[in-house]
């Protein structure tokens, strides 16, 4: 085994957390390497990790295509636009998504080159607080690399269910679900969580009859429950067959179909579908990440134990992104942690504010929120007030023919400080940025009420929701 130079920092993993961290380390003058083993469908190296290649970016790209197809089929006539003989070539749609992913992956490579980051295509194993064994993806000789600091950012992967074994032909995981080249006539999805709903949005928009089997009796427990109820109403109206309290117990591939067994309060049921997607959660990629003698401390679910500075139990070793339990599995959380850790290593003062971390569910319409939910605040006994404004009362929503959804502001009843902002509606992922900034600056609802918003825009709903606190809304009766 050969030995290479000592780096200031080695980052393991080139997903959003890892590549952002590597870039920031290099910007701060640290000699940096990044080790990653991802290969695309052609077996070629691509940076960006699961988030780019098999997660959010891939999913959003396909959803944009699916929305176009759906609009062409269903929404254009009333605009006076007639299109005939509309058809969809799913394989070409997947190719388009892959082209975009390749281009974005290539941009990360260029950024690495620009910042003189040593990019190593290999699988890494942490041997101790300073050393990593690398096994090159091309099968060449393993070697040991050494660094003063190590940042673990290996991300997460889909959880497997022993009773619904993924074959990626009939029973597929969330990665393969973004690479299906034909349209399943009837599709079932295990799990109506974030990923299940995002995939349902894509395939139902393309025309699949989509059944979501969710073990929980309640729907979407993470967002504000008023938003979840609204989401349930909108999704079912769109044709999602949402079966709550439905726990899948078995799934078997037949000759051309999948047989799915599930149980609910009424007993056992079976379903025959063309494809089954397993979207039952993700697990951190820590299996084989560290040699046992490295003594990297993990919790019982495989998450790396870290303190509030993302430091593991090993001096100089950090874990960021999906690997730690400091916040939800979100790409932008990982990116911020990557920068936060890089700055700590460089001796800079750095902070991270998990309280103003936005969450987004990329369905159509989207769900986005920041801060606390109404149910959490009530459980804490906080005195709160609520301002709500529906998008259907804004001119812009009518102009774009997407009037569903609402903005909900929650403020402290006495201090007026904003405590939570919750949105369901088109472009919620973009709109939430205004609320994040407001909360970052400790804004009050009065600040929103006094801020002039352009008319006609969707963002006016913020202004009006704040006016609702004082029964001063202009476009709905108070
Ligand atoms: P999830 O935990 O959100 O949802 C999985 C669901 O599957 C749960 O509701 C669970 O009850 C259900 N389930 C599990 N076993 C089942 C069974 N046998 N039968 C029926 N239902 C069953 O997990 P996910 O949707 O896979 O997402 C994983 C993580 O990735 C989450 O933390 C999520 O926040 C993150 N993520 C976020 C985004 C985003 O921000 N847009 C996108 C993708 C993933």
């Amino acid at each position: 085994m050969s030995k290479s130079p000592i780096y200031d920092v080695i980052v393991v993993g080139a997903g959003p957390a890892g590549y952002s961290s590597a870039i920031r380390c290099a910007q701060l003058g640290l000699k940096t390497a990044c080790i990653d083993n991802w290969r695309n469908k052609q077996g070629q190296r691509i940076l960006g990790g699961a988030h780019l290649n098999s997660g959010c970016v891939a999913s959003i790209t396909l959803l944009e295509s699916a929305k176009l197809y759906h609009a062409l089929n269903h929404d254009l006539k009333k605009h006076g636009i007639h299109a005939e003989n509309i058809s969809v070539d799913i394989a070409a749609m997947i190719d388009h998504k892959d082209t975009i992913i390749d281009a974005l992956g290539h941009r990360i490579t260029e950024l690495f080159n620009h910042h003189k980051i040593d990019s190593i295509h290999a699988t890494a194993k942490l041997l101790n607080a300073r050393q990593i064994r690398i096994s090159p993806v091309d099968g060449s000789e393993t070697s040991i690399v050494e660094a003063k600091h190590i940042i673990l950012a290996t991300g997460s992967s889909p959880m497997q269910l022993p009773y619904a074994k993924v074959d990626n032909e009939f029973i597929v995981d969330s990665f393969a679900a973004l690479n299906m080249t034909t349209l399943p006539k009837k599709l079932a999805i295990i799990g109506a969580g974030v990923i299940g709903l995002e995939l349902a949005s894509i395939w139902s928009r393309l025309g699949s009859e989509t059944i979501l089997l969710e073990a929980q009796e309640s729907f979407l427990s993470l967002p504000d429950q008023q938003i979840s109820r609204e989401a349930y109403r909108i999704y079912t109206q769109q044709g999602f067959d949402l079966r709550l309290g439905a726990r899948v117990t078995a799934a078997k591939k037949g000759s051309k179909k999948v047989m799915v067994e599930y149980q609910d309060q009424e007993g056992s049921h079976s379903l025959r579908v063309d494809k089954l997607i397993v979207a039952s959660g993700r697990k951190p990629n820590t299996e084989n990440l560290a040699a046992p003698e490295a003594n990297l401390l993990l919790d019982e679910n495989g998450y790396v134990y870290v303190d509030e500075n993302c430091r593991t139990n090993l001096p100089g070793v950090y874990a960021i992104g999906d690997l730690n339990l400091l916040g939800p599995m979100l790409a932008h959380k990982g990116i911020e942690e990557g920068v936060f850790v890089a700055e700590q290593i460089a001796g800079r003062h750095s902070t991270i504010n998990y309280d103003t971390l936005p969450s987004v569910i990329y369905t159509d319409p989207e769900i986005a929120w920041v801060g606390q939910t109404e149910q959490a605040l009530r459980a804490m006994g906080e005195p709160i007030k609520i301002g709500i404004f529906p998008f259907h009362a804004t001119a812009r929503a009518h102009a774009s023919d997407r009037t569903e959804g609402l903005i909900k502001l929650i403020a402290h009843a006495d201090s007026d400080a904003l405590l939570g902002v919750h949105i369901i509606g088109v472009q919620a992922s973009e709109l939430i940025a205004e609320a994040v900034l407001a909360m970052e600056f400790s804004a009050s609802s009065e600040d929103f009420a006094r801020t002039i918003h352009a008319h006609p825009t969707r963002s006016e709903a913020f202004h009006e929701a704040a006016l609702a606190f004082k029964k001063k809304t202009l476009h709905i009766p108070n």
Side-chain angles (χ1 to χ4, degrees), residues 359-428:
S359 290
V360 180
I361 304 180
Y362 293 98
T363 45
D364 179 29
E366 296 169 340
I367 296 175
W369 71 94
V370 59
Q372 306 270 14
T373 61
E374 180 184 345
Q375 64 268 20
L377 289 162
R378 294 216 186 276
M380 287 186 279
E382 289 286 337
I384 56 171
K385 54 184 182 177
I386 291 169
I388 292 173
F389 196 79
F391 286 113
H392 71 72
T394 68
R396 188 57 182 267
H398 284 274
S400 60
D401 210 11
R402 291 298 301 266
T403 53
E404 71 273 41
L406 56 93
I407 289 187
K408 173 174 181 174
L409 301 187
I410 310 176
H412 195 278
D414 305 326
S415 71
D416 196 36
L418 267 182
L419 301 175
V421 177
H422 306 271
I423 311 174
I424 178 166
V426 170
Q427 292 177 349

Coordinates of all heavy atoms in Angstrom, one line a residue, residues 359-428:
S359 N -38.1 23.7 5.3 CA -38.4 22.4 4.8 C -39.3 22.5 3.6 O -40.1 23.3 3.6 CB -39.1 21.5 5.9 OG -38.2 21.3 6.9
V360 N -39.0 21.6 2.6 CA -39.8 21.7 1.4 C -40.2 20.2 1.0 O -39.4 19.3 1.1 CB -39.0 22.3 0.2 CG1 -39.9 22.4 -1.0 CG2 -38.6 23.7 0.6
I361 N -41.4 20.1 0.5 CA -41.9 18.9 -0.1 C -42.2 19.2 -1.6 O -43.1 20.0 -1.8 CB -43.1 18.2 0.6 CG1 -42.8 18.0 2.1 CG2 -43.5 16.9 -0.1 CD1 -43.9 17.4 2.9
Y362 N -41.4 18.6 -2.5 CA -41.5 19.0 -3.9 C -42.6 18.2 -4.6 O -42.3 17.4 -5.5 CB -40.2 18.9 -4.6 CG -39.1 19.8 -4.1 CD1 -38.2 19.4 -3.1 CD2 -39.1 21.1 -4.5 CE1 -37.3 20.3 -2.6 CE2 -38.1 22.0 -4.1 CZ -37.2 21.6 -3.1 OH -36.3 22.5 -2.6
T363 N -43.8 18.5 -4.2 CA -45.0 17.9 -4.9 C -45.5 19.0 -5.8 O -45.0 20.1 -5.9 CB -46.0 17.4 -3.9 OG1 -46.2 18.4 -2.9 CG2 -45.6 16.1 -3.2
D364 N -46.7 18.8 -6.4 CA -47.3 19.8 -7.2 C -48.8 20.0 -6.7 O -49.6 19.1 -7.1 CB -47.3 19.5 -8.7 CG -47.9 20.5 -9.5 OD1 -47.9 21.7 -9.1 OD2 -48.5 20.2 -10.6
P365 N -49.1 21.0 -5.9 CA -48.3 22.1 -5.5 C -47.3 21.7 -4.4 O -47.4 20.6 -3.8 CB -49.4 23.0 -4.9 CG -50.4 22.1 -4.3 CD -50.5 21.0 -5.3
E366 N -46.4 22.6 -4.1 CA -45.4 22.3 -3.1 C -45.8 22.6 -1.7 O -46.8 23.4 -1.5 CB -44.1 23.1 -3.4 CG -43.5 22.7 -4.7 CD -42.4 23.7 -5.2 OE1 -42.4 24.9 -4.7 OE2 -41.6 23.3 -6.1
I367 N -45.1 22.1 -0.7 CA -45.4 22.4 0.7 C -44.0 22.9 1.2 O -43.0 22.3 0.9 CB -45.8 21.2 1.5 CG1 -47.1 20.6 1.0 CG2 -45.8 21.5 3.0 CD1 -47.6 19.3 1.7
A368 N -44.1 24.0 1.9 CA -42.8 24.5 2.5 C -43.1 25.2 3.8 O -44.2 25.8 4.0 CB -42.2 25.6 1.5
W369 N -42.2 25.1 4.7 CA -42.4 25.7 6.0 C -41.1 26.1 6.7 O -40.0 25.5 6.4 CB -43.3 24.8 6.9 CG -42.6 23.6 7.5 CD1 -42.0 23.4 8.7 CD2 -42.6 22.3 6.8 NE1 -41.6 22.1 8.8 CE2 -42.0 21.4 7.7 CE3 -43.1 21.8 5.6 CZ2 -41.8 20.1 7.4 CZ3 -42.9 20.4 5.3 CH2 -42.2 19.6 6.2
V370 N -41.2 27.0 7.7 CA -40.0 27.3 8.5 C -40.5 27.6 9.9 O -41.6 28.2 10.1 CB -39.2 28.5 7.9 CG1 -40.0 29.7 7.8 CG2 -38.0 28.8 8.8
G371 N -39.8 27.2 10.9 CA -40.2 27.5 12.3 C -41.1 26.5 12.8 O -41.2 25.3 12.3
Q372 N -41.9 26.9 13.8 CA -42.7 25.9 14.6 C -44.1 25.7 14.0 O -44.7 26.7 13.4 CB -42.9 26.4 16.0 CG -41.6 26.7 16.7 CD -41.1 25.5 17.4 OE1 -41.5 24.4 17.2 NE2 -40.1 25.7 18.3
T373 N -44.7 24.6 14.2 CA -46.1 24.3 13.8 C -47.0 24.8 14.9 O -46.6 24.9 16.0 CB -46.3 22.8 13.5 OG1 -46.1 22.1 14.7 CG2 -45.4 22.3 12.4
E374 N -48.3 25.0 14.5 CA -49.3 25.4 15.4 C -49.4 24.3 16.5 O -49.4 24.6 17.7 CB -50.7 25.5 14.7 CG -51.8 25.9 15.7 CD -53.1 26.0 15.1 OE1 -53.2 26.1 13.8 OE2 -54.1 26.1 15.8
Q375 N -49.4 23.0 16.1 CA -49.6 22.0 17.2 C -48.4 21.9 18.1 O -48.6 21.7 19.3 CB -49.9 20.6 16.5 CG -48.8 20.0 15.7 CD -48.9 20.3 14.2 OE1 -49.6 21.3 13.8 NE2 -48.3 19.5 13.4
A376 N -47.2 22.2 17.7 CA -46.0 22.1 18.6 C -46.1 23.3 19.5 O -45.9 23.2 20.7 CB -44.8 22.2 17.8
L377 N -46.5 24.5 19.0 CA -46.6 25.7 19.9 C -47.7 25.5 20.9 O -47.5 25.9 22.1 CB -46.8 26.9 19.0 CG -45.6 27.3 18.2 CD1 -45.9 28.2 17.1 CD2 -44.5 27.9 19.1
R378 N -48.8 25.0 20.5 CA -49.9 24.8 21.5 C -49.5 23.8 22.5 O -49.8 23.9 23.7 CB -51.2 24.3 20.8 CG -51.8 25.4 19.8 CD -53.3 25.4 19.8 NE -53.8 26.3 18.8 CZ -54.0 27.6 19.0 NH1 -53.7 28.2 20.2 NH2 -54.4 28.3 18.0
A379 N -48.8 22.7 22.1 CA -48.3 21.7 23.1 C -47.4 22.3 24.1 O -47.3 21.9 25.3 CB -47.6 20.5 22.3
M380 N -46.6 23.3 23.7 CA -45.7 24.0 24.6 C -46.4 25.1 25.4 O -45.8 25.7 26.3 CB -44.5 24.7 23.8 CG -43.5 23.7 23.2 SD -42.2 24.6 22.4 CE -42.8 25.0 20.9
G381 N -47.6 25.3 25.1 CA -48.4 26.3 25.9 C -48.1 27.7 25.5 O -48.4 28.7 26.3
E382 N -47.5 27.9 24.3 CA -47.2 29.3 23.9 C -48.4 30.1 23.5 O -49.3 29.5 22.8 CB -46.2 29.2 22.7 CG -44.8 28.8 22.9 CD -44.0 29.8 23.6 OE1 -44.3 31.0 23.5 OE2 -43.0 29.4 24.3
P383 N -48.6 31.3 24.0 CA -49.7 32.1 23.5 C -49.4 32.6 22.0 O -48.4 33.2 21.8 CB -49.7 33.3 24.4 CG -48.3 33.4 25.0 CD -47.7 32.1 24.9
I384 N -50.3 32.1 21.1 CA -50.0 32.4 19.7 C -51.2 33.0 19.0 O -52.4 32.9 19.5 CB -49.6 31.2 18.9 CG1 -50.7 30.0 19.0 CG2 -48.3 30.7 19.4 CD1 -50.4 28.9 18.1
K385 N -51.0 33.7 17.9 CA -52.0 34.2 17.0 C -51.7 33.7 15.6 O -50.5 33.5 15.3 CB -52.2 35.7 17.1 CG -50.9 36.4 16.9 CD -51.1 37.9 17.1 CE -49.8 38.7 16.8 NZ -49.9 40.1 16.9
I386 N -52.8 33.6 14.8 CA -52.6 33.0 13.5 C -53.2 33.8 12.4 O -54.3 34.3 12.6 CB -53.2 31.6 13.5 CG1 -52.4 30.6 14.4 CG2 -53.3 31.0 12.1 CD1 -53.1 29.3 14.7
G387 N -52.5 34.1 11.4 CA -53.0 34.8 10.2 C -52.9 33.9 9.0 O -51.9 33.3 8.7
I388 N -54.1 33.8 8.3 CA -54.1 32.9 7.1 C -54.6 33.6 5.9 O -55.5 34.5 6.0 CB -55.0 31.7 7.4 CG1 -54.4 30.8 8.5 CG2 -55.3 30.8 6.1 CD1 -55.3 29.7 8.9
F389 N -54.0 33.3 4.8 CA -54.5 33.9 3.5 C -54.4 32.9 2.4 O -53.4 32.3 2.2 CB -53.7 35.2 3.1 CG -54.4 36.0 2.1 CD1 -55.4 36.9 2.5 CD2 -54.1 36.0 0.8 CE1 -56.1 37.6 1.6 CE2 -54.8 36.7 -0.2 CZ -55.8 37.6 0.3
P390 N -55.6 32.7 1.8 CA -55.6 31.7 0.7 C -55.1 32.3 -0.6 O -55.4 33.4 -0.9 CB -57.1 31.3 0.6 CG -57.8 32.6 1.0 CD -56.9 33.3 2.0
F391 N -54.5 31.5 -1.4 CA -54.0 32.0 -2.7 C -55.1 32.3 -3.7 O -54.9 33.2 -4.6 CB -53.0 31.0 -3.4 CG -51.7 30.9 -2.7 CD1 -51.3 29.8 -2.1 CD2 -50.8 32.0 -2.8 CE1 -50.0 29.7 -1.4 CE2 -49.6 31.9 -2.2 CZ -49.2 30.8 -1.5
H392 N -56.3 31.7 -3.5 CA -57.4 32.0 -4.4 C -57.9 33.4 -4.3 O -58.6 33.9 -5.2 CB -58.5 31.0 -4.3 CG -59.3 31.1 -3.0 ND1 -60.2 32.2 -2.9 CD2 -59.4 30.4 -1.9 CE1 -60.8 32.1 -1.7 NE2 -60.3 31.0 -1.1
A393 N -57.4 34.1 -3.3 CA -57.8 35.5 -3.2 C -56.7 36.4 -3.8 O -56.8 37.7 -3.6 CB -58.1 35.9 -1.8
T394 N -55.7 35.9 -4.5 CA -54.7 36.7 -5.1 C -55.0 36.6 -6.7 O -55.3 35.6 -7.2 CB -53.3 36.3 -4.9 OG1 -53.0 35.0 -5.5 CG2 -53.0 36.2 -3.4
A395 N -54.8 37.8 -7.3 CA -55.0 37.9 -8.8 C -54.0 37.0 -9.5 O -54.3 36.3 -10.5 CB -54.9 39.3 -9.2
R396 N -52.8 36.9 -9.0 CA -51.7 36.2 -9.7 C -52.0 34.7 -9.7 O -51.8 34.0 -10.8 CB -50.4 36.4 -9.0 CG -49.2 35.8 -9.7 CD -49.1 36.4 -11.1 NE -48.0 35.8 -11.9 CZ -46.8 36.4 -11.9 NH1 -46.5 37.5 -11.3 NH2 -45.8 35.8 -12.6
A397 N -52.6 34.2 -8.7 CA -52.9 32.7 -8.6 C -54.0 32.5 -9.7 O -53.9 31.4 -10.4 CB -53.5 32.4 -7.3
H398 N -54.9 33.4 -9.9 CA -55.9 33.2 -10.9 C -55.3 33.3 -12.3 O -55.7 32.5 -13.2 CB -57.1 34.2 -10.8 CG -58.0 33.9 -9.7 ND1 -59.0 33.0 -9.8 CD2 -58.0 34.2 -8.3 CE1 -59.7 32.8 -8.6 NE2 -59.0 33.6 -7.7
A399 N -54.4 34.3 -12.5 CA -53.8 34.5 -13.8 C -53.0 33.2 -14.2 O -53.0 32.8 -15.4 CB -52.8 35.7 -13.7
S400 N -52.4 32.5 -13.2 CA -51.7 31.3 -13.6 C -52.5 30.1 -13.4 O -52.0 29.0 -13.6 CB -50.4 31.2 -12.7 OG -50.8 31.2 -11.4
D401 N -53.8 30.3 -13.1 CA -54.7 29.2 -13.0 C -54.4 28.2 -12.0 O -54.7 27.0 -12.1 CB -54.8 28.5 -14.4 CG -56.2 28.0 -14.6 OD1 -57.1 28.2 -13.8 OD2 -56.4 27.2 -15.6
R402 N -53.6 28.6 -10.9 CA -53.3 27.7 -9.9 C -53.6 28.4 -8.5 O -52.8 29.0 -7.9 CB -51.8 27.3 -9.9 CG -51.4 26.5 -11.1 CD -52.0 25.1 -11.1 NE -51.8 24.3 -10.0 CZ -50.8 23.4 -9.9 NH1 -49.9 23.2 -10.9 NH2 -50.7 22.6 -8.8
T403 N -54.9 28.2 -8.1 CA -55.4 28.9 -7.0 C -55.4 28.1 -5.7 O -55.8 28.7 -4.7 CB -56.9 29.4 -7.3 OG1 -57.6 28.2 -7.7 CG2 -56.9 30.4 -8.4
E404 N -54.9 26.9 -5.7 CA -55.0 26.1 -4.5 C -54.0 26.5 -3.5 O -52.9 27.0 -3.8 CB -54.9 24.6 -4.8 CG -53.5 24.1 -5.3 CD -53.2 24.3 -6.8 OE1 -53.6 25.3 -7.4 OE2 -52.6 23.4 -7.3
G405 N -54.3 26.3 -2.2 CA -53.3 26.5 -1.2 C -53.4 27.8 -0.4 O -54.3 28.6 -0.6
L406 N -52.5 27.9 0.6 CA -52.6 29.1 1.5 C -51.3 29.3 2.1 O -50.4 28.5 2.1 CB -53.6 28.8 2.6 CG -53.5 27.5 3.4 CD1 -52.7 27.8 4.7 CD2 -54.8 26.9 3.8
I407 N -51.2 30.5 2.7 CA -50.0 30.9 3.6 C -50.6 31.1 5.0 O -51.6 31.7 5.2 CB -49.3 32.2 3.1 CG1 -48.6 31.9 1.8 CG2 -48.4 32.7 4.2 CD1 -47.7 33.0 1.4
K408 N -49.9 30.5 6.0 CA -50.3 30.6 7.4 C -49.1 31.2 8.2 O -48.0 30.6 8.1 CB -50.6 29.2 7.9 CG -50.9 29.1 9.4 CD -51.4 27.7 9.7 CE -51.7 27.5 11.1 NZ -52.3 26.2 11.4
L409 N -49.4 32.3 8.8 CA -48.3 32.9 9.7 C -48.7 32.6 11.1 O -49.9 32.8 11.5 CB -48.2 34.4 9.5 CG -47.9 35.0 8.1 CD1 -47.7 36.5 8.2 CD2 -46.7 34.3 7.5
I410 N -47.7 32.3 11.9 CA -48.0 32.1 13.4 C -47.0 33.1 14.1 O -45.8 33.1 13.9 CB -47.7 30.7 13.8 CG1 -48.5 29.7 12.9 CG2 -48.2 30.5 15.3 CD1 -48.2 28.2 13.3
A411 N -47.6 33.9 14.9 CA -46.8 34.8 15.7 C -47.1 34.7 17.2 O -48.2 34.2 17.6 CB -47.1 36.3 15.2
H412 N -46.2 35.2 18.0 CA -46.4 35.2 19.5 C -47.5 36.2 19.8 O -47.4 37.3 19.3 CB -45.1 35.5 20.2 CG -45.1 35.2 21.6 ND1 -45.7 36.0 22.5 CD2 -44.7 34.1 22.3 CE1 -45.6 35.5 23.8 NE2 -45.0 34.3 23.6
A413 N -48.4 35.8 20.6 CA -49.6 36.6 20.9 C -49.2 38.0 21.5 O -49.8 39.0 21.3 CB -50.6 35.9 21.8
D414 N -48.1 37.9 22.3 CA -47.7 39.2 23.1 C -46.7 39.9 22.3 O -46.8 41.1 22.1 CB -47.2 38.8 24.5 CG -48.3 38.0 25.2 OD1 -49.5 38.2 25.0 OD2 -47.9 37.1 26.0
S415 N -45.6 39.2 22.0 CA -44.4 40.0 21.4 C -44.6 40.2 19.9 O -43.9 41.0 19.3 CB -43.1 39.2 21.6 OG -43.1 38.0 20.8
D416 N -45.5 39.5 19.2 CA -45.7 39.6 17.8 C -44.6 38.9 17.0 O -44.6 39.0 15.7 CB -46.0 41.0 17.4 CG -46.6 41.1 16.0 OD1 -47.4 40.3 15.6 OD2 -46.2 42.1 15.2
A417 N -43.6 38.3 17.7 CA -42.5 37.7 16.9 C -43.0 36.5 16.1 O -43.9 35.8 16.5 CB -41.5 37.2 17.9
L418 N -42.5 36.4 14.8 CA -42.9 35.3 14.0 C -42.3 34.0 14.5 O -41.1 33.9 14.8 CB -42.3 35.6 12.6 CG -43.2 36.3 11.5 CD1 -42.4 36.3 10.2 CD2 -44.5 35.6 11.4
L419 N -43.2 33.0 14.6 CA -42.7 31.7 15.2 C -42.8 30.6 14.2 O -42.1 29.6 14.3 CB -43.6 31.4 16.4 CG -43.6 32.4 17.6 CD1 -44.6 31.9 18.6 CD2 -42.2 32.5 18.2
G420 N -43.6 30.8 13.1 CA -43.7 29.8 12.1 C -44.4 30.3 10.9 O -45.3 31.1 11.0
V421 N -44.0 29.8 9.7 CA -44.6 30.2 8.5 C -44.8 28.9 7.7 O -43.9 28.1 7.5 CB -43.8 31.2 7.7 CG1 -44.5 31.5 6.3 CG2 -43.6 32.5 8.5
H422 N -46.0 28.7 7.2 CA -46.4 27.4 6.5 C -47.1 27.7 5.2 O -48.0 28.5 5.2 CB -47.2 26.6 7.5 CG -46.6 26.4 8.8 ND1 -45.8 25.3 9.1 CD2 -46.6 27.2 9.9 CE1 -45.3 25.4 10.3 NE2 -45.8 26.6 10.8
I423 N -46.6 27.1 4.2 CA -47.2 27.3 2.8 C -47.5 26.0 2.1 O -46.7 25.1 2.2 CB -46.2 28.1 1.9 CG1 -45.6 29.3 2.7 CG2 -46.9 28.6 0.6 CD1 -44.6 30.1 1.9
I424 N -48.7 26.0 1.5 CA -49.0 25.0 0.5 C -49.4 25.8 -0.7 O -50.3 26.6 -0.6 CB -50.0 23.9 0.9 CG1 -50.2 22.9 -0.2 CG2 -51.3 24.4 1.5 CD1 -50.9 21.6 0.2
G425 N -48.8 25.5 -1.8 CA -49.2 26.2 -3.1 C -48.1 26.1 -4.1 O -46.9 25.7 -3.8
V426 N -48.4 26.6 -5.3 CA -47.4 26.6 -6.4 C -46.2 27.5 -5.9 O -46.5 28.6 -5.4 CB -48.1 27.1 -7.7 CG1 -47.0 27.4 -8.7 CG2 -49.0 26.1 -8.1
Q427 N -45.0 27.1 -6.2 CA -43.8 27.9 -5.8 C -43.6 28.1 -4.3 O -42.9 29.0 -4.0 CB -43.8 29.2 -6.6 CG -43.6 29.0 -8.1 CD -43.7 30.3 -8.9 OE1 -44.0 31.3 -8.3 NE2 -43.3 30.2 -10.1
A428 N -44.2 27.3 -3.5 CA -44.0 27.4 -2.1 C -42.5 27.4 -1.7 O -42.0 28.1 -0.8 CB -44.7 26.3 -1.3

